[in-house]
Amino acid sequence: MRLTYADLLERFPEETTQRIELIDGELLMPPAPSVRHQDVVLEIGVRLRLAAERRGGLVVANPMDVLLTSTTWSSPTCCPSCRSTRRGRSGR
């Protein structure tokens, strides 16, 4: 069965602590990131934030829903965003 983002919202409450992603309709539950991964993400996040602030953008740290299609959704560790395209899980 190919899942959609709407299916995920029904199956998992917002309060879930389980890491989940939806890639081409397939539900994935990746493991927690390593310490090295977190260190690299922090460095990238700092650099992205400095650049984003100069351009009126924003950098968001996990958790954040990034819906690419109705069947591909992820929660990246660090994500740059322009202010005009930001939306929360509720669609706001």
Side-chain angles (χ1 to χ4, degrees):
M1 177 180 164
R2 191 171 186 196
L3 299 173
T4 66
Y5 183 67
D7 296 328
L8 282 186
L9 294 178
E10 287 178 20
R11 282 183 159 186
F12 296 95
E14 246 185 279
E15 305 83 42
T16 186
T17 59
Q18 174 67 44
R19 291 173 41 96
I20 55 175
E21 294 186 351
L22 185 67
I23 307 298
D24 292 327
E26 182 180 348
L27 179 63
L28 303 175
M29 296 182 165
S34 67
V35 172
R36 174 71 180 137
H37 173 88
Q38 294 295 339
D39 187 47
V40 170
V41 166
L42 181 60
E43 183 62 33
I44 291 170
V46 167
R47 292 173 187 226
L48 284 173
R49 183 172 184 167
L50 291 173
E53 285 177 345
R54 289 192 298 268
R55 293 170 178 82
L58 177 71
V59 175
V60 180
N62 196 15
M64 176 184 166
D65 292 353
V66 176
L67 184 61
L68 301 173
T69 70
S70 65
T71 59
T72 300
W73 164 81
S74 184
S75 185
T77 310
C78 182
C79 183
S81 172
C82 84
R83 292 192 190 280
S84 64
T85 61
R86 290 182 306 182
R87 290 183 11 199
R89 189 170 195 169
S90 65
R92 289 180 263 161

